């Protein structure tokens, strides 16, 4: 993070968040931020105060458990607005939205229309949905994602972008290059019946020659940031090497500390800077709980019957 101004500045950097499909445990954050807050999309934004003409390196180390996260409750609701890379009010997008009206139809159209251009991997400037349609033979993962989201939103289907890391051990069918820093983008659509965001990957469906990445996304996708309110914010932090010696996955269990203060029937729950904390009660049907963010704090009003 850099503050080139002559005034003190508050700056943010996103840390990988909990989602429906991953659980995060931080073991080190250096330096510690002033606070971490979740935005409307569920991103974890760490706030740092930088003095004038200064810069800091922020290092976050931890583990991610990839797979269904049944305790996660998403606060991110569908957004259908026009965005920089999602021109939902464009006549061509509107026309496509009248033809392709389900997530599967839009996914199939995107896969069949765009072709991945391996020559553009090192020139990964984002184009947006319209330019992707104008040059379908020269597409990257962001083009597949932006086109799907634009048509879906114009069809009245909630859709958003995920930027993260996608592990691959086959560079021929999954577009990653050895020795480079690779981020990947893929879309999610909102299922109003389950109230869940469903991840899909039309890019890999194309590059693998037809493997089904619509019904069952694999466990190789790791979310860094979620784009729903805006197509280009927050910016993803860091770069991630494809060194196979650095691709180990560790699953561990963290101990949490809960400090209770019974004053006025309020519990203040605080925990260490790195792990998630939970409150366990005898009768959870009387009220609901949410995860506490790293460096976070919540106050819970307990029903009178429990006091």
């Amino acid at each position: 993070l850099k503050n080139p101004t002559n005034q003190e500045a508050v700056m943010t950097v996103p840390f990988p968040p909990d989602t429906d499909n991953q659980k995060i445990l931080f073991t080190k954050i250096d330096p510690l931020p002033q606070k971490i807050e979740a935005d409307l999309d569920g991103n974890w934004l760490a706030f740092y105060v930088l003095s004038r003409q200064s810069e800091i390196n922020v290092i976050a180390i931890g583990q991610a458990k990839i797979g269904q996260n049944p305790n996660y409750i998403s606060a991110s609701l569908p957004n259908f607005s026009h965005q920089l890379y999602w021109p939902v009010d464009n006549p061509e997008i509107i026309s496509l939205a009248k033809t392709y009206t389900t997530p599967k139809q839009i996914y199939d159209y995107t896969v069949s229309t765009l072709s991945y251009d391996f020559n553009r991997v090192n020139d990964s400037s984002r184009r947006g949905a319209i330019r992707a349609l104008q040059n379908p033979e020269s597409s990257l993962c962001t083009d597949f994602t932006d086109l799907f989201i634009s048509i879906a939103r114009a069809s009245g289907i909630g859709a958003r972008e995920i930027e993260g890391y996608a592990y691959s051990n086959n560079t021929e069918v999954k577009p990653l290059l050895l020795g480079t820093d690779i981020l990947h983008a893929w879309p999610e659509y909102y299922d109003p019946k389950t109230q869940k965001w469903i991840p899909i990957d039309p890019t890999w469906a194309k590059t693998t020659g037809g493997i089904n990445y619509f019904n069952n996304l694999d466990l190789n996708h790791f979310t860094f940031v979620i784009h729903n309110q805006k197509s280009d914010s927050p910016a993803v932090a860091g770069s991630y090497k494809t060194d196979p010696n650095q691709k180990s996955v560790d699953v561990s269990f963290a101990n949490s500390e809960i400090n209770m203060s019974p004053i006025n029937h309020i519990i203040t729950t605080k925990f260490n800077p790195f792990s998630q904390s939970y409150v366990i009660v005898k009768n959870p049907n009387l009220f609901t709980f949410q995860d506490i963010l790293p460096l976070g704090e919540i106050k819970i009003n307990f029903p009178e019957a429990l006091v």
Side-chain angles (χ1 to χ4, degrees):
L1 295 177
K2 290 185 177 181
N3 176 18
T5 72
N6 289 319
Q7 298 179 357
E8 183 179 81
V10 177
M11 308 186 74
T12 62
V13 60
F15 289 166
D18 279 357
T19 70
D20 286 316
N21 301 295
Q22 69 186 35
K23 181 70 178 173
I24 302 299
L25 169 67
F26 290 112
T27 56
K28 177 182 180 182
I29 300 175
D30 183 30
L32 290 176
Q34 298 293 315
K35 61 180 178 178
I36 298 179
E37 291 184 351
D39 67 9
L40 293 176
D41 291 340
N43 295 298
W44 290 357
L45 301 180
F47 289 76
Y48 288 89
V49 178
L50 275 71
S51 58
R52 63 185 185 90
Q53 298 289 335
S54 67
E55 65 179 80
I56 60 172
N57 292 321
V58 178
I59 300 174
I61 299 174
Q63 291 85 42
K65 180 181 179 181
I66 308 298
Q68 289 297 312
N69 185 4
N71 295 321
Y72 179 76
I73 300 176
S74 175
S76 180
L77 296 176
N79 186 319
F80 305 96
S81 65
H82 172 96
Q83 294 294 323
L84 176 62
Y85 297 109
W86 306 330
V88 296
D89 53 0
N90 180 274
E92 188 171 2
I93 296 297
I94 293 174
S95 177
L96 290 170
K98 293 178 179 178
T99 303
Y100 307 102
T101 58
T102 69
K104 184 61 165 63
Q105 291 175 346
I106 300 168
Y107 170 89
D108 289 340
Y109 170 79
T110 302
V111 173
S112 64
T113 301
L114 303 183
S115 296
Y116 194 89
D117 186 355
F118 290 88
N119 294 321
R120 282 193 60 219
V121 170
N122 294 323
D123 178 25
S124 55
S125 57
R126 193 170 176 184
R127 304 187 303 176
I130 297 303
R131 289 184 60 196
L133 285 172
Q134 293 170 347
N135 301 276
E137 298 299 319
S138 184
S139 298
L140 295 177
C141 58
T142 50
D143 298 309
F144 284 82
T145 301
D146 290 338
L147 181 58
F148 176 91
I149 292 173
S150 299
I151 300 174
R153 288 191 171 197
S155 298
I157 301 168
R160 66 185 189 181
E161 181 202 29
I162 304 297
E163 278 197 43
Y165 177 84
Y167 172 80
S168 171
N169 56 9
N170 188 333
T171 59
E172 293 299 322
V173 297
K174 298 177 183 178
L176 303 180
L177 298 180
L178 294 176
T180 59
D181 298 330
I182 293 296
L183 296 177
H184 187 49
W186 61 94
E188 292 183 338
Y189 69 89
Y190 188 77
D191 183 354
K193 293 182 179 179
T194 62
Q195 296 184 336
K196 296 284 188 181
W197 289 94
I198 311 299
I200 58 177
D201 195 337
T203 305
W204 279 15
K206 185 73 171 196
T207 58
T208 56
I211 291 179
N212 184 358
Y213 283 100
F214 182 82
N215 298 112
N216 294 292
L217 196 68
D218 58 32
L219 299 180
N220 295 330
H221 291 66
F222 174 29
T223 299
F224 291 158
V225 295
I226 303 165
H227 291 158
N228 184 24
Q229 306 300 319
K230 296 182 179 180
S231 62
D232 56 344
S233 178
V236 64
S239 54
Y240 299 83
K241 299 293 184 181
T242 56
D243 182 351
N245 295 322
Q246 298 179 8
K247 287 183 179 177
S248 60
V249 176
D250 297 320
V251 178
S252 60
F253 296 90
N255 294 320
S256 300
E257 295 182 0
I258 300 175
N259 301 317
M260 295 189 178
S261 174
I263 301 175
N264 296 326
H265 314 316
I266 294 177
I267 282 187
T268 299
T269 303
K270 211 170 183 179
F271 68 110
N272 68 63
F274 307 127
S275 64
Q276 294 278 354
S277 282
Y278 303 91
V279 178
I280 302 174
V281 298
K282 293 181 178 179
N283 191 349
N285 295 323
L286 295 179
F287 40 80
T288 60
F289 292 99
Q290 65 184 36
D291 288 353
I292 311 170
L293 298 187
L295 299 175
E297 178 178 307
I298 63 172
K299 292 183 178 180
I300 303 165
N301 289 303
F302 277 75
E304 190 73 24
L306 293 184
V307 178

